Amino acid sequence: MSSNFYCDGVDKAPQRSLLNALGMTKEEMQRPMVGIVSSYNEIVPGHMNIDKIVEAVKLGVAMAGGTPVVFPAIAVCDGIAMGHVGMKYSLVTRDLIADSTECMALAHHFDALVMIPNCDKNVPGLLMAAARVNVPTIFVSGGPMLAGHVKGKKTSLSSMFEAVGSYSAGKFTLEDVEEFENKACPTCGSCSGMYTANSMNCLTEVLGMGLRGNGTIPAVYSDRIKLAKHAGMAVMELYRKNIRPRDIMTEKAFENALTADMALGCSTNSMLHLPAIANECGIKINLDMANEVSARTPNLCHLAPAGHAYMEDLNEAGGVYAVLNELTKKNLIHTDVMTCTGKTLGENISGVINKNHDIIRPIESPYSETGGIAVLRGNLAPDGCVVKRSAVAEEMMQHKGPAKVFDSEEDAIAAIKGGKIVAGDIVVIRYEGPAGGPGMREMLSPTSAIAGMGLDKEVALITDGRFSGATRGAAIGHVSPEAVSGGNIAFVKDGDIISIDIPNYRINLEVSDEELSERRKTMEIKVKTDLTGYLRRYSKMVASADKGAIINY
């Protein structure tokens, strides 16, 4: 595939006439055509600055001898979509983004691509597209938000949601909530903790698809503009050397990504996205690999919501490269993999120093000897479920309690705010999976309500949906098989005892096989019959969470 076909021969004169209609000169037509995939919009805080990133990338491409051409990608703000029907439209956009970018790139024969994402599904969607199109490609994100400051402490979006829970519990006044509302999100950028957007932007560095600082340089820093110019120049080097995404995103690179995920304490959503991206590269990642990597990988970072550090702090401490350098001290990273710099990962991280041992723990003294994410199995989740154990209080690492069962997120929130959930309970929210939701909504509102009420060390939540990267506490998602597919989560009743054992990777419903068999005969599977439009199509095509919620073609 090449844009050269525009330039030669009488038979391509019609195409050239349309490029002339754009005001494109003959000189521009004769240079490599670089597609700039812009996720700019005016509703997502993480994307409102992307127009400036685009202009910087265009300048970098032009300086290095290419012709930059911009086209759009969509993006949903998970925070704005949270807690209502809008969240059904978040995960589903990952595949829309991948599909539409593939269409634009291949229809117009771009020689190379620069992907400019920032927020949750935008990053993996464009990584999936990069693998499919497989022309020289580099990523540069819009960058993370600076932390807010409330009552003398740094804060973020997760604190904002928890403030609402504190108000419901009578711990905050309306004035307290309004102060958080006005100060929690002080700048543009992806929300300031190690939530899904920042997790995926950091992992883009690890995969070798983004330059150093892509995941951590704050959106409002001038260094972000410089990074964008360098990305524009770097993609032209990738073009000249013919280094393509599938040359970079290899099996070793994905193993590095899983390892860094565990060390950084990334969002559980990475367990949906990494398998989906790998699938586009012809590589299989299953959930059991996560526990294998976690068992040998120490957790070095406790960024919000797991701790009180933020992306700006990680950036100042040396960023993702400093974390990777710590991991090399125990030979946990494949350093020989190729990256978008044209150099190996080992060459990229050589000499990078960990400047703050409070933000990035030395590998000799980690937060824990095992990684930040765990995959649990048992009769409640035979195909697995996922928990961000680095954000779970020690008291909840092993827990047993009675189930309080809800068939939707809304019903669960009403019960939590109505005081119907008490210490020791295990909240079960079902029919929120990829197909059953559909769309696998994030459950930040119920987890934040529980945390805001001070119950996060006493109450667990289990769902076939998923949790925001901003969630903390014993929040266990991605239960597979999901309820609508006949998974055992569909047959849990109020009062059933559920046992959770995170250190031993177990989760069980303490109900006999005979009783579960009887319930299957009498309890109806609740299938939504009123779906329309894209959600209806998505529900019929999406695979289960343990497969990365990929689309079955």
Side-chain angles (χ1 to χ4, degrees):
M1 186 177 80
S2 171
S3 64
N4 286 341
F5 90 102
Y6 295 142
C7 302
D8 300 323
V10 174
D11 60 330
K12 295 301 184 291
Q15 284 89 345
R16 292 196 296 276
S17 74
L18 292 169
L19 297 180
N20 277 310
L22 294 170
M24 194 175 288
T25 66
K26 183 178 291 186
E27 292 82 359
E28 287 175 298
M29 293 183 209
Q30 290 172 342
R31 293 177 176 180
M33 201 82 71
V34 181
I36 313 295
V37 187
S38 170
S39 304
Y40 170 78
N41 64 49
E42 294 184 339
I43 187 62
V44 184
H47 291 236
M48 63 179 284
N49 65 318
I50 282 178
D51 56 340
K52 297 175 178 61
I53 305 295
V54 167
E55 291 306 312
V57 168
K58 288 173 66 179
L59 185 57
V61 168
M63 285 193 298
T67 297
V69 181
V70 179
F71 65 89
I74 64 169
V76 165
C77 178
D78 279 22
I80 294 174
M82 196 71 65
H84 56 90
V85 68
M87 182 45 69
K88 293 179 184 287
Y89 286 92
S90 172
L91 179 60
V92 304
T93 65
R94 185 186 71 183
D95 295 276
L96 278 175
I97 291 163
D99 293 348
S100 59
T101 303
E102 174 194 356
C103 291
M104 287 293 290
L106 294 178
H108 300 100
H109 276 241
F110 288 109
D111 297 291
L113 295 167
V114 181
M115 306 293 198
I116 311 179
N118 210 21
C119 290
D120 295 34
K121 312 313 165 301
N122 199 236
V123 185
L126 290 179
L127 283 165
M128 290 163 69
R132 287 185 201 172
V133 177
N134 203 36
V135 298
T137 301
I138 197 167
F139 276 66
V140 56
S141 76
M145 186 183 290
L146 292 178
H149 291 265
V150 181
K151 302 184 188 301
K153 295 181 179 180
K154 286 186 178 182
T155 190
S156 61
L157 182 66
S158 55
S159 304
M160 180 70 254
F161 274 89
E162 289 178 17
V164 175
S166 295
Y167 176 76
S168 298
K171 296 182 177 183
F172 272 16
T173 65
L174 187 58
E175 289 74 22
D176 291 327
V177 175
E178 287 177 349
E179 184 177 7
F180 272 90
E181 182 180 337
N182 290 317
K183 297 179 179 179
C185 299
T187 73
C188 63
S190 49
C191 295
S192 56
M194 189 56 82
Y195 310 147
T196 305
N198 292 327
S199 295
M200 294 309 303
N201 281 322
C202 286
L203 295 181
T204 300
E205 285 189 56
V206 183
L207 283 169
M209 294 297 291
L211 298 176
R212 181 184 179 184
N214 183 57
T216 60
I217 297 172
V220 295
Y221 283 12
S222 297
D223 278 351
R224 176 63 54 179
I225 300 299
K226 295 177 185 178
L227 180 74
K229 291 175 184 176
H230 285 133
M233 290 185 269
V235 80
M236 294 307 299
E237 279 301 302
L238 291 173
Y239 167 74
R240 293 183 184 103
K241 294 176 179 177
N242 196 29
I243 299 173
R244 299 168 181 249
R246 286 184 223 160
D247 300 325
I248 294 172
M249 292 193 287
T250 61
E251 191 169 344
K252 284 184 177 180
F254 280 103
E255 189 171 333
N256 283 345
L258 282 170
T259 301
D261 186 309
M262 299 301 170
L264 287 162
C266 290
S267 164
T268 52
N269 284 312
S270 62
M271 292 297 103
L272 285 175
H273 301 321
L274 287 175
I277 300 160
N279 180 67
E280 299 291 349
C281 298
I283 297 167
K284 296 300 179 187
I285 293 177
N286 62 53
L287 291 184
D288 290 328
M289 289 175 64
N291 283 345
E292 291 168 14
V293 172
S294 179
R296 62 176 181 261
T297 306
N299 177 226
L300 305 181
C301 299
H302 266 194
L303 280 77
H308 299 290
Y310 295 85
M311 296 307 296
E312 63 203 64
D313 302 312
L314 178 59
N315 187 62
E316 294 301 319
V320 174
Y321 278 18
V323 175
L324 293 176
N325 226 356
E326 287 290 342
L327 294 170
T328 62
K329 294 174 183 178
K330 290 192 175 180
N331 297 316
L332 295 172
I333 292 292
H334 299 290
T335 56
D336 58 341
V337 293
M338 179 52 61
T339 72
C340 64
T341 65
K343 299 177 181 179
T344 65
L345 185 62
E347 291 175 297
N348 289 346
I349 67 176
S350 178
V352 177
I353 297 169
N354 177 359
K355 298 177 182 178
N356 189 331
H357 291 183
D358 291 329
I359 304 301
I360 305 171
R361 288 279 185 91
I363 200 162
E364 299 83 8
S365 57
Y367 282 103
S368 67
E369 292 294 340
T370 52
I373 288 177
V375 174
L376 315 183
R377 291 184 188 269
N379 68 345
L380 190 57
D383 294 336
C385 57
V386 181
V387 61
K388 185 173 182 175
R389 66 174 160 195
S390 60
V392 178
E394 186 62 35
E395 299 93 317
M396 294 298 292
M397 296 296 281
Q398 293 176 309
H399 180 73
K400 183 183 291 189
K404 295 282 182 70
V405 184
F406 305 94
D407 288 342
S408 72
E409 179 188 11
E410 289 83 357
D411 289 348
I413 292 171
I416 293 165
K417 292 185 176 179
K420 296 180 181 178
I421 305 302
V422 299
D425 283 346
I426 295 180
V427 177
V428 176
I429 307 174
R430 61 193 178 193
Y431 295 106
E432 292 285 5
M440 204 179 182
R441 287 193 287 182
E442 289 184 342
M443 305 290 169
L444 181 56
S445 294
T447 57
S448 296
I450 283 174
M453 291 175 176
L455 292 173
D456 56 297
K457 296 180 180 179
E458 299 174 291
V459 171
L461 290 96
I462 298 171
T463 182
D464 54 5
R466 60 197 176 95
F467 292 107
S468 165
T471 290
R472 64 184 174 95
I476 300 166
H478 307 201
V479 169
S480 301
E482 62 177 292
V484 79
S485 300
N488 283 339
I489 192 172
F491 306 108
V492 182
K493 291 184 176 182
D494 282 343
D496 285 347
I497 300 301
I498 296 174
S499 62
I500 300 165
D501 187 348
I502 296 173
N504 292 302
Y505 308 113
R506 302 298 298 168
I507 184 166
N508 279 298
L509 175 65
E510 296 192 354
V511 171
S512 68
D513 291 344
E514 293 77 15
E515 172 62 19
L516 281 173
S517 180
E518 284 301 310
R519 291 183 187 183
R520 285 182 175 276
K521 298 174 185 176
T522 58
M523 293 178 68
E524 181 184 3
I525 299 291
K526 298 180 180 180
V527 179
K528 294 181 175 69
T529 59
D530 58 347
L531 298 174
T532 60
Y534 184 57
L535 288 183
R536 184 168 183 268
R537 184 171 7 132
Y538 182 86
S539 70
K540 293 179 181 297
M541 298 175 70
V542 67
S544 59
D546 63 292
K547 304 282 194 305
I550 60 174
I551 296 298
N552 290 315
Y553 293 105

